[in-house]
Amino acid sequence: MTDSEAERAERAAFILSLRRRGIRDLAVLRALEMVPRGLFVDPTLRRHAYEDVALPIACGQTMSQPSLVALMTEALALNAEHTVLEIGTGSGYQAAVLSHLAAQVVTMDRYRALVGEAQTRFQVLGLRNVAAFVGDGTQGLPGRAPYDRIMITAATGEVPRALVDQLKPGGVLIAPIGAPREVQKLRRFIKDGGNLEASDLMDVRFVPLVAGVAALL
């Protein structure tokens, strides 16, 4: 079996495992199949790329397990006309998945190193509808607002007001709500007027959402 054949077989088994974990949206499954997760992990961890586990990345951050990426993506209920804001670029894997489902993906992170590495991966994959920025995720990117969908990939006690304001009426926001280093609730919010109506999805553990931009990394 050649490397390309092995990769295809690995990805096929990966998608089957996601279906067994309850992911049913065919467009989401196709998006996950199209993104080579191995490109986004540390080379020393490549053998774990398609396992359903969270993996460490640079700057003390983590890359969520694929089933959680799939569930959060599915919960956004995306279509090809949507503009998405992602808070917490990390490796860039989640943004790459979103790029196959939305018109435009805007992603931001407080770590310059992570944003730079993610931008390189987006270029390698030819993803022209993803824009990555260094910035304070608690403030969002008002210059590109409003957004149809917002995904926060770090735990916060409450959704920052700036992000609520940047979400379109009727828009969907996904975020882990709770204290850092504790079990949080992954919640799906729908904007109704100036407020958010919430529903719980599952228990999760995410690194904390931190205000500001990292000074050194």
Side-chain angles (χ1 to χ4, degrees):
M1 182 181 289
T2 66
D3 288 345
S4 61
E5 288 173 337
E7 171 79 10
R8 283 196 295 272
E10 191 174 31
R11 286 204 220 177
F14 170 63
I15 296 304
L16 181 58
S17 73
L18 291 176
R19 291 179 69 98
R20 287 172 175 163
R21 286 180 168 86
I23 304 302
R24 294 287 177 262
D25 188 311
L26 294 180
V28 170
L29 290 167
R30 177 59 179 158
L32 281 146
E33 187 175 19
M34 293 175 71
V35 178
R37 195 166 186 259
L39 179 65
F40 294 84
V41 306
D42 186 291
T44 63
L45 298 172
R46 172 62 185 81
R47 67 188 183 280
H48 301 298
Y50 291 101
E51 295 175 10
D52 195 41
V53 294
L55 296 173
I57 59 174
C59 304
Q61 304 300 292
T62 57
M63 182 180 180
S64 295
Q65 62 266 41
S67 61
L68 183 55
V69 170
L71 185 145
M72 292 177 71
T73 303
E74 197 171 56
L76 282 182
L78 289 166
N79 68 44
E81 297 180 356
H82 285 152
T83 296
V84 184
L85 172 64
E86 180 196 27
I87 304 299
T89 306
S91 70
Y93 179 69
Q94 175 73 78
V97 171
L98 295 174
S99 75
H100 291 286
L101 297 162
Q104 182 71 34
V105 178
V106 179
T107 182
M108 62 187 301
D109 204 291
R110 67 191 305 267
Y111 294 105
R112 294 175 181 84
L114 292 181
V115 170
E117 291 173 3
Q119 287 173 326
T120 298
R121 292 171 180 133
F122 300 151
Q123 291 170 0
V124 168
L125 295 174
L127 303 179
R128 295 194 172 100
N129 64 334
V130 184
F133 299 90
V134 177
D136 182 347
T138 66
Q139 299 303 309
L141 282 172
R144 295 233 175 183
Y147 303 98
D148 300 286
R149 302 287 189 268
I150 296 177
M151 179 184 287
I152 305 175
T153 61
T156 178
E158 61 181 12
V159 178
R161 187 69 226 181
L163 299 182
V164 178
D165 292 342
Q166 290 169 41
L167 184 63
K168 287 183 181 179
V172 176
L173 184 149
I174 305 293
I177 303 297
R181 292 175 292 278
E182 294 182 7
V183 175
Q184 303 117 19
K185 288 289 185 184
L186 184 64
R187 288 186 178 145
R188 183 178 194 265
F189 298 90
I190 299 176
K191 187 172 181 179
D192 182 10
N195 300 312
L196 296 176
E197 296 183 352
S199 57
D200 288 349
L201 298 178
M202 64 184 297
D203 290 341
V204 291
R205 282 184 181 270
F206 277 83
V207 296
L209 178 66
V210 179
V213 174
L216 299 177
L217 299 174

